[in-house]
Amino acid sequence: MKADRHAKIVIIGAGAIGCAIAHHLARAGERDVLVLEKAQVTHGSTWHAAGLVGQLRGKRALTRLMQNSVAVFDGLAAEAGMATDWKKVGSLRLAASDARWSEIRRSVQLAKSFGFEAHLVSPDEAKRMFPHIDPKGVVGAAWIPSDGYIDPYAVTMAFAASARKGGVRIEEGVTVTGIPVKGRRALGVVTDHGTISADIVVNAAGYWARRVGAMAGVPVAAGVVEHQYFVTEKGLDVPDTLTTLRDPDHNFYLKPDVGGAWAIGGWEEGTRAPWNQWPPFDFARELFPANMDRLELFALPAAERLPILNDIGIRTVINGPIPVSADGEPIMGLAPELDNFYLACGFTAGIAASGGAGQAMANWILQGDPGLDLWPFDARRFGAPHARAAWLSARAVEAYAAYYKVHWPGEEHHAGRGLRRSPLHEPLKAAGAVFGSRFGWERANWFTTSDPAATDTPSFEGKPGWHAAVAAEVKAIRTGVALIDQTSFSKFELSGPGAQVALNRIAAADISGAPGRAIYTQLLNDRGGIEADLTILHRGEEDFLIVTGSGFGVRDGNWITRQLPDGLRPRDVTNAHAVLNICGPKAREVLAAVTDADLSNAAFPFLAAREIVVGHAPALAVRVGYVGELGWELYIPVEYAAHVYEVLKEAGAAHSIRDAGYRAIESCRLEKGYLYWSSDITPETTPSEAGLGFAVAMGKGDFTGRAALAAMGAPKRRLVTLTVEGFAPFLSGETVLHEGKPVASLTSAGYGHHLGKTIGFAYLPAELAGEQGFVIEAFGTPHAATRGPRCLYDAKMERLKA
């Protein structure tokens, strides 16, 4: 590429996010930064945003990101030397249904576990705080005193001014038209004003991010939809300190506006996804015509809650394009396809997130790490299918309309379903499967045949509708035999000279040795944190099959790829192999009936991997599983999967073989003490903290993360298992108290159907890890909890190795 000039870091887009990244890069001392904006600073979705700032989210790291934004806003005006109109007036979130009240109480409980100030208030207290509301139907409310609202134009200009003071260049009226790529690197950008080479390129292009990503060959699951809000006539007699208001059951938000007016918006059904997700570059500071039919969907409910709206008029309606990703959350981090192309897009609440997101992105760019666990925002949670226009439009419209809906535990998406199907989909459907979705795959969550009276009804504080059905499936796994379709596992082949040495350098476990076994291992970062948790099947001398979770394939495959030497690349073979898990104490008896392979414990021990024939079909049988019972995972070429399923069902009929789903897996893995990456283990946790030291081979020689582990002393916290007799409404995130003080929160939680206990995992301070006397709070109710052994079920592995 012939370049006219060079910049170390080029940021595409000068909205709130792009300017915030530039601001934080400049604060970190980075001077050679160039921000390119095709129109003017704030054009796009920034200029017409409402500007509400709400921090409380369902996960700790996400709330921390928003808290970081507020911390930035608190000091930005002084730092930039210009006003931001930051009004820290707090926020009031109403609950007008029992379900919403459960959701709000859960959120406030989560906040308590990490010291974030949030309060539950009564309907009368809410009325005193916002006198204009009609409290009819209000059950309660949440009050977050550090929330507020900010002027989107002013805060973005302040970020830009601060960045310029630090040496950043911002050029307006420059359109990026191409991003040349060589190998795994973006060489720079081609613009209508010349060509610029760059060491790092950042896509902060707002609702144009998908188009910009495509220039570099990077699929981006950031869509665009219409969003409306209206501004009332001026003249309302309201104090400057009036709090912001959200009433999600009436589907609206409100913030005070200049001159005694209110800005009121909502998240209605049926919004439009324009331009087939390919917005024109010449659309800048423009709006769409108001859609009054859609406006009524939140304006009329708002008038029910705020009767004064019936007496004042609407001054203006804002209907503009905003970004919405395929799951409604931002997209951040290094694109998996390239080594120097970062994504910071898909921000539906971009103003509120800008300060914290800019800080995290600057950390990512300069230090290789955002500074906190942002997996729910990570670009690697998506793959190419999520960026296809029709699918993305359907998901973006659904995510938009779901913004203020009750987010039930275990809820599933409805749009874009049926995209990826196991070869066993139809047989499982006929067997009564109730499907969920993960990374586009349809997967059986549970089966109606397990309990004809069960329903797919979630619950916050009670037993979900599928509770009894899952109990029956767990019983089959623990006492009989079950089949579980796990085809959606992500699978990678790595083969060729040097494969074993390379994997041994990446993995924490010892990969050396003869073929024919499964190796459970973690992949660590340089700090000793757990970047991946997976199984490696050693099939041949230099031939490995790497197996990880359905939603982690892009992430883990990318992590491995970046560390391999030239000439070695993993090949994604997810779609080539079906996976059928046969498990339970009668699994050997059933499988032996349809194979001539020797399945005895001596010939086929735990963690062995053998090529066998099942019925008339070849399969790689691996004696491993995630439910903690005797069993085999069968890796089957997809064309043989239905045959294998049929012969196993026929052979197992005499043993009352049962289909089981992913909800049963979850119950069993909690009983067994098996961990789940992204909740129990993350890049911020180490193997010793998580009790996974047995999977680390410190004596094998050097591997990624070894030096950090060797330098660590005894862990300051330890993962423990806590139990409550019978059913308790634990959903993860609940506060753990000791002597009345919060000491941890649950990383995973659920009901162990076989043991009859509610189980939760939590990282306790090391000095408390051996104690008793813990209490777990859920929905305001304390539950006395017992600290038990890390593995509650078959701790000596006698059943697993039978």
Side-chain angles (χ1 to χ4, degrees):
M1 184 181 100
K2 184 178 179 180
D4 301 318
R5 53 193 172 125
H6 178 83
K8 181 179 179 181
I9 302 171
V10 170
I11 300 172
I12 304 170
I17 299 296
C19 289
I21 296 170
H23 159 80
H24 284 286
L25 287 172
R27 290 191 80 215
E30 197 61 55
R31 300 288 176 260
D32 192 7
V33 179
L34 173 63
V35 182
L36 301 177
E37 168 55 50
K38 67 182 183 60
Q40 292 179 300
V41 175
T42 78
H43 284 202
S45 56
T46 292
W47 72 274
H48 62 77
L52 268 79
V53 178
Q55 300 165 83
L56 189 58
R57 298 298 182 96
K59 291 182 181 292
R60 177 194 299 251
L62 309 190
T63 299
R64 281 175 60 195
L65 186 80
M66 303 310 245
Q67 286 181 279
N68 290 347
S69 272
V70 166
V72 171
F73 296 157
D74 285 345
L76 181 60
E79 191 168 350
M82 60 189 301
T84 60
D85 200 24
W86 168 223
K87 306 291 187 184
K88 203 170 185 177
V89 295
S91 71
L92 192 65
R93 181 180 290 262
L94 305 180
S97 65
D98 290 338
R100 183 74 63 184
W101 186 227
S102 292
E103 182 183 51
I104 285 179
R105 285 159 56 224
R106 171 169 163 73
S107 296
V108 171
Q109 180 67 59
L110 293 176
K112 180 179 179 180
S113 71
F114 50 89
F116 178 71
E117 186 180 2
H119 306 278
L120 295 174
V121 299
S122 69
D124 289 342
E125 289 174 302
K127 172 74 172 174
R128 284 195 294 273
M129 298 171 75
F130 203 103
H132 297 90
I133 67 171
D134 178 352
K136 181 181 179 182
V138 175
V139 183
W143 162 246
I144 295 90
S146 57
D147 281 353
Y149 60 96
I150 197 165
D151 181 81
Y153 178 86
V155 72
T156 304
M157 286 299 186
F159 280 136
S162 173
R164 287 187 174 112
K165 285 170 64 176
V168 170
R169 291 166 291 152
I170 300 176
E171 297 183 8
E172 299 173 302
V174 179
T175 300
V176 174
T177 59
I179 301 175
V181 171
K182 183 177 182 180
R184 290 186 52 85
R185 296 190 64 83
L187 301 179
V189 295
V190 177
T191 80
D192 57 356
H193 284 64
T195 302
I196 307 161
S197 61
D199 299 332
I200 292 169
V201 179
V202 183
N203 179 358
Y207 55 81
W208 293 279
R210 183 169 174 268
R211 286 196 66 171
V212 170
M215 294 178 190
V218 173
V220 179
V224 55
V225 302
E226 291 184 8
H227 176 59
Q228 292 189 121
Y229 66 91
F230 64 88
V231 181
T232 67
E233 293 174 341
K234 298 181 179 181
L236 286 167
D237 184 17
V238 294
D240 291 340
T241 56
L242 184 69
T243 183
T244 61
L245 178 71
R246 294 169 177 83
D247 186 344
D249 288 311
H250 284 69
N251 198 24
F252 77 91
Y253 60 78
L254 177 153
K255 74 154 191 172
D257 206 71
V258 295
W262 286 336
I264 299 174
W267 306 93
E268 73 281 3
E269 295 277 359
T271 189
R272 191 170 71 98
W275 303 309
N276 194 32
Q277 303 304 321
W278 204 251
F281 283 143
D282 59 3
F283 193 93
R285 194 178 170 91
E286 301 173 62
L287 295 171
F288 300 121
N291 185 310
M292 301 310 291
D293 290 337
R294 291 206 324 267
L295 192 79
E296 285 185 352
L297 295 178
F298 62 86
L300 295 180
E304 290 179 6
R305 180 63 67 212
L306 302 163
I308 195 173
L309 291 180
N310 296 304
D311 300 323
I312 58 176
I314 293 177
R315 177 158 52 98
T316 186
V317 175
I318 307 294
N319 184 22
I322 64 168
V324 179
S325 77
D327 63 4
E329 299 289 4
I331 302 172
M332 298 174 64
L334 193 58
E337 294 80 8
L338 299 174
D339 292 335
N340 66 333
F341 187 76
Y342 288 83
L343 303 177
C345 50
F347 285 86
T348 304
I351 304 302
S354 59
Q359 185 179 63
M361 288 302 304
N363 290 339
W364 229 325
I365 292 165
L366 299 178
Q367 302 168 23
D369 184 89
L372 65 167
D373 176 21
L374 288 182
W375 168 243
F377 290 178
D378 197 300
R380 294 167 294 179
R381 74 189 189 275
F382 291 130
H386 304 110
R388 294 170 187 150
W391 192 93
L392 177 57
S393 289
R395 273 292 176 90
V397 168
E398 180 187 57
Y400 173 92
Y403 205 81
Y404 273 176
K405 289 181 179 178
V406 173
H407 295 289
W408 294 96
E411 69 180 351
E412 296 282 353
H413 292 288
H414 299 287
R417 292 293 296 271
L419 180 63
R420 304 177 79 180
R421 305 183 192 187
S422 156
L424 302 178
H425 181 84
E426 290 304 316
L428 295 179
K429 183 179 178 181
V434 178
F435 292 100
S437 178
R438 181 61 59 90
F439 209 76
W441 284 98
E442 293 295 308
R443 312 192 310 178
N445 280 339
W446 60 279
F447 289 80
T448 57
T449 45
S450 299
D451 178 18
T455 61
D456 202 34
T457 309
S459 175
F460 280 108
E461 301 187 54
K463 295 176 180 177
W466 55 76
H467 186 84
V470 173
E473 293 168 22
V474 170
K475 183 178 180 180
I477 292 170
R478 292 286 186 241
T479 65
V481 60
L483 286 177
I484 307 174
D485 178 23
Q486 296 177 303
T487 297
S488 64
F489 276 163
S490 296
K491 316 167 197 80
F492 298 90
E493 285 184 352
L494 186 69
S495 59
Q500 187 169 40
V501 170
L503 279 179
N504 219 21
R505 179 64 179 77
I506 296 170
D510 191 354
I511 311 300
S512 64
R517 66 187 183 120
I519 303 110
Y520 170 61
T521 188
Q522 287 76 49
L523 311 185
L524 308 181
N525 55 40
D526 289 334
R527 303 182 312 279
I530 301 172
E531 292 286 345
D533 182 71
L534 44 76
T535 302
I536 297 173
L537 308 181
H538 192 178
R539 300 185 301 187
E541 201 61 41
E542 291 279 13
D543 180 17
F544 297 87
L545 186 67
I546 303 166
V547 183
T548 188
S550 310
F552 305 141
V554 172
R555 189 186 198 285
D556 293 357
N558 177 250
W559 182 263
I560 293 168
T561 298
R562 291 182 190 279
Q563 297 190 72
L564 289 174
D566 291 341
L568 279 176
R569 286 291 178 270
R571 186 167 72 96
D572 190 337
V573 293
T574 299
N575 301 341
H577 304 277
V579 181
L580 192 57
N581 183 2
I582 180 168
C583 53
K586 297 180 181 178
R588 179 181 283 116
E589 195 171 343
V590 174
L591 184 56
V594 293
T595 183
D596 57 4
D598 185 350
L599 302 180
S600 67
N601 205 40
F604 211 132
F606 181 59
L607 294 180
R610 307 273 191 273
E611 294 284 351
I612 68 172
V613 174
V614 182
H616 307 302
L620 174 64
V622 185
R623 196 167 157 196
V624 72
Y626 199 42
V627 296
E629 289 290 346
L630 171 69
W632 285 262
E633 288 177 356
L634 305 175
Y635 291 78
I636 312 157
V638 291
E639 65 269 29
Y640 298 117
H643 168 75
V644 172
Y645 175 79
E646 289 165 3
V647 299
L648 288 173
K649 285 295 287 283
E650 184 177 352
H655 302 280
S656 300
I657 194 169
R658 185 182 291 280
D659 292 295
Y662 274 79
R663 300 206 188 281
I665 294 176
E666 177 68 5
S667 179
C668 290
R669 74 99 181 172
L670 288 169
E671 293 182 335
K672 187 62 179 170
Y674 288 160
L675 307 182
Y676 186 69
W677 191 89
S678 77
S679 56
D680 306 313
I681 45 179
T682 73
E684 295 184 323
T685 56
T686 66
S688 58
E689 291 175 327
L692 295 173
F694 67 89
V696 179
M698 291 294 288
K700 70 171 182 174
D702 196 22
F703 59 89
T704 304
R706 186 188 184 284
L709 296 184
M712 291 177 186
K716 295 181 180 179
R717 59 176 187 162
R718 293 187 182 276
L719 190 68
V720 304
T721 302
L722 300 168
T723 63
V724 172
E725 293 298 323
F727 177 84
F730 297 169
L731 304 168
S732 84
E734 289 77 13
T735 305
V736 180
L737 299 104
H738 189 260
E739 297 182 350
K741 298 178 181 178
V743 294
S745 57
L746 299 184
T747 58
S748 285
Y751 187 66
H753 285 272
H754 180 72
L755 298 178
K757 301 174 187 287
T758 302
I759 303 165
F761 301 151
Y763 284 94
L764 293 177
E767 62 272 17
L768 293 178
E771 299 295 321
Q772 292 290 356
F774 296 97
V775 170
I776 300 173
E777 282 191 359
F779 301 101
T781 300
H783 299 263
T786 301
R787 181 197 50 76
R790 275 287 294 109
C791 178
L792 298 171
Y793 179 78
D794 188 28
K796 295 182 179 179
M797 309 281 276
E798 293 170 339
R799 295 173 66 88
L800 195 63
K801 297 182 178 181

